[in-house]
Amino acid sequence: MTLVMGIVNVTPDSFADGGLYARADAAVARGLALASDGADLVDVGGESTRPGAERISLEEEQARVLPVIRELAAHGIGVSIDTMNAATARAAVEAGASIVNDVSGGLADPAMGATVAALDVDFVCMHWRAHSTHMDASDRYDDVVAEVRDELDARVAALVAAGVGEGRIVLDPGLGFAKVTDSNWPLLARMDEWSRGRRVLVGGSRKRFLGAAIARATSASSPDGTTASSLVEAPGPDDREAATIALTALAAAAGAWGVRVHEARGSADAVRVASAWNNAAHAQG
């Protein structure tokens, strides 16, 4: 059954919940709540990767995440570390994390492959083209599915060459990373074509492309009050939760290994409904 990975951003500036869990005690409480609501894993990150976000120091990142990871692991909760830094990955696993989730797929830090190989943990390798300050400008594809497939294949080959077991690698298409809106949907609809049968993590929770998909037309009067025009209102992050749950259901039905979400309860329910549906379909077959 598809795993639900709950997000804990120990940051002041993440796009969906920046600042809510910046303190260690608040972040730990959030992780415990996510687990109570059905999250199988809690993904702890100390550096925002929202569009335009600036990098932080290694010391600041570790000061944010390590106390949270230690406390959640002490409660028996499965933890992944969301980091692009090999040193933070190592420290996080020593603190109790069991998965390294790198949005750069090992490109941001050349030491990441060898570090993960030595740690012998699962590694989420995301498709990535540029840091947050430049990623939107990298949304240029002739065939997004083929290009993401080829670029992920290259990352897998590099990781395996560094000693990472191929069975340890989970692929993430990088929804919203160098993919502003329309580039995301073919990757979801054609998951088998780029994943090549490997495990897949879908991380689309509350992202811009969901907001664009559910944008609603609204009416507005002109300044003179004589005419009306139609405007398109794109919901903000907090208003994309129902769309996130729909995405979770579809991803689970398609066989995704995991979904990464801000709220666990609705997505956990969606996963179970999709599982019951698939089980019935296979029983009939």
Side-chain angles (χ1 to χ4, degrees), residues 30-77:
R30 180 58 176 165
L32 294 173
L34 286 166
S36 178
D37 282 346
D40 303 288
L41 296 163
V42 174
D43 190 45
V44 178
E47 179 177 8
S48 176
T49 53
R50 63 174 174 77
E54 299 289 342
R55 302 300 309 275
I56 62 171
S57 71
L58 193 67
E59 294 75 18
E60 177 65 22
E61 181 189 33
Q62 293 185 21
R64 291 176 179 180
V65 301
L66 296 181
V68 178
I69 292 170
R70 290 191 190 98
E71 188 67 20
L72 291 175
H75 280 82
I77 293 173

Side-chain angles (χ1 to χ4, degrees), residues 203-218:
S205 180
R206 299 183 176 179
K207 289 187 175 176
R208 290 174 294 173
F209 76 98
L210 291 179
I214 62 173
R216 293 170 173 83
T218 60

